[in-house]
Amino acid sequence: MEKKVVTDAFTVVISTWRGKRVPLDMLVALYRKVPHVHRIVVIWHDPATAPTIASEPSALVPLFVHRVETNSLNNRFLPLSAIETEGFLTVDDDILATPEDLAFGFSIWKRNPRQLAGPFLRSHVAGKSSPDGKKVEYAYSMKDRMQPRVMHSRVVASKYSMVLTKLLFAPTKLLFMFTCLMPRDIQAYIDSIMNCEDIAMSFLVANLTEKAAVWVRGAGIREIGSSGLSSNQKVHYAHRSDCVDHFTRLFGRMPLLVANQKVDRAVNFWLWR
């Protein structure tokens, strides 16, 4: 018998390497206070160490911990059976957001349930063209000027074509599409450079929907800091420019669409720009 999909709530999927950024029990307690959270899933990305938090399937808001078997960024998008909702929130373990911001983000995503929605932006830019004009090189652009420890309400950005998966609402069916239907060459490329799984997801969604992502800006979303892969910024962004160009060739076209629509959450009102 097919399970009934939960449409009035969402699953929080926390991605963590070893749980050393923000304590996982603190994050779980935070997300349990958010309206419309059906379940919380922690994906423990380090196969060599044991999770520091245990599943609590009988809790009022159940917690499920999934320890991966291989070290792959593609594991962020596993179609786990614990996710029974129509939509999910994928979030890194160094992101803090208020329950009000997350409830607001979910309400905006519900209006656009085929698209991605979140606060962290990036874009792509067209570069050099071949002499015959048939081939264009593409690069990655950092439109989001947020610095670590700065409130996201201070971000200044104009146009964007990607919303990063560090905090992102998305339709759950994308997990199966990413893991089981997307070309293996893309997943293999992600594993080879340990980067760009978020860009691949943006390509996949734009290719399926031919719609841009939705920029949802909260009043109190904070990134505690970055470490690991993104710390060497020059190498990191060179890899990501290569990803944009490589994925364009693998998809056979540039599917990303540029947008400038922003949905702000203020204390007493919503503002569309």
Side-chain angles (χ1 to χ4, degrees):
M1 184 177 179
E2 187 176 352
K3 288 185 179 180
K4 183 179 180 180
V5 176
V6 178
T7 60
D8 59 351
F10 65 95
T11 303
V12 177
V13 181
I14 305 171
S15 282
T16 186
W17 174 247
R18 291 178 179 171
K20 292 184 177 180
R21 292 181 174 181
V22 178
L24 290 176
D25 56 352
M26 174 181 169
L27 290 176
V28 170
L30 169 66
Y31 293 123
R32 280 177 167 159
K33 296 177 182 178
V34 179
H36 307 296
V37 170
H38 181 252
R39 289 177 172 179
I40 300 170
V41 174
V42 173
I43 299 182
W44 187 269
H45 284 270
D46 181 12
T49 62
T52 57
I53 192 169
S55 296
E56 298 174 354
S58 300
L60 185 61
V61 178
L63 169 66
F64 297 88
V65 179
H66 179 79
R67 181 182 179 184
V68 302
E69 297 180 356
T70 58
N71 181 15
S72 170
L73 291 176
N74 293 301
N75 290 330
R76 175 189 281 270
F77 302 122
L78 294 174
L80 301 174
S81 60
I83 304 174
E84 298 181 341
T85 50
E86 178 185 32
F88 71 99
L89 169 71
T90 177
V91 60
D92 285 352
D93 63 353
D94 63 348
I95 301 294
L96 293 177
T98 66
E100 294 79 10
D101 278 334
L102 295 175
F104 173 73
F106 178 60
S107 71
I108 297 302
W109 175 80
K110 284 288 290 180
R111 298 182 182 185
N112 310 272
R114 297 182 63 215
Q115 295 165 253
L116 305 178
F120 296 96
L121 309 179
R122 296 295 184 268
S123 188
H124 72 284
V125 292
K128 295 181 293 184
S129 300
S130 61
D132 58 8
K134 293 183 179 180
K135 180 181 182 299
V136 179
E137 292 183 0
Y138 290 93
Y140 180 78
S141 175
M142 186 176 178
K143 287 292 186 183
D144 179 342
R145 298 186 179 90
M146 186 180 70
Q147 298 299 320
R149 307 180 190 275
V150 175
M151 297 297 285
H152 193 78
S153 58
R154 299 177 187 170
V155 171
V156 178
S158 53
K159 297 180 179 180
Y160 64 94
S161 58
M162 291 175 275
V163 180
L164 299 187
T165 52
K166 62 177 67 181
L167 192 157
L168 177 75
F169 286 94
T172 300
K173 64 183 180 181
L174 290 176
L175 299 175
F176 175 79
M177 293 180 181
F178 186 98
T179 301
C180 303
L181 301 182
M182 196 170 65
R184 295 295 180 187
D185 289 348
I186 295 177
Q187 295 182 8
Y189 186 78
I190 291 168
D191 283 337
S192 71
I193 62 170
M194 291 298 290
N195 203 332
C196 300
E197 81 287 354
D198 52 351
I199 296 177
M201 178 60 84
S202 287
F203 266 74
L204 175 64
V205 177
N207 194 58
L208 288 169
T209 66
E210 297 188 340
K211 292 183 178 181
V214 179
W215 178 17
V216 183
R217 197 172 79 163
I221 298 174
R222 183 184 291 270
E223 182 177 18
I224 300 303
S226 60
S227 62
L229 288 175
S230 299
S231 297
N232 188 335
Q233 294 292 315
K234 187 174 181 180
V235 173
H236 176 69
Y237 288 113
H239 278 321
R240 290 174 77 79
S241 286
D242 290 342
C243 287
V244 172
D245 197 53
H246 189 69
F247 292 162
T248 301
R249 293 195 296 272
L250 290 177
F251 274 85
R253 67 185 186 111
M254 166 49 74
L256 297 177
L257 300 174
V258 175
N260 60 6
Q261 184 185 54
K262 175 173 61 177
V263 189
D264 269 323
R265 174 187 169 266
V267 176
N268 295 315
F269 63 91
W270 296 356
L271 176 64
W272 290 80
R273 295 181 180 175

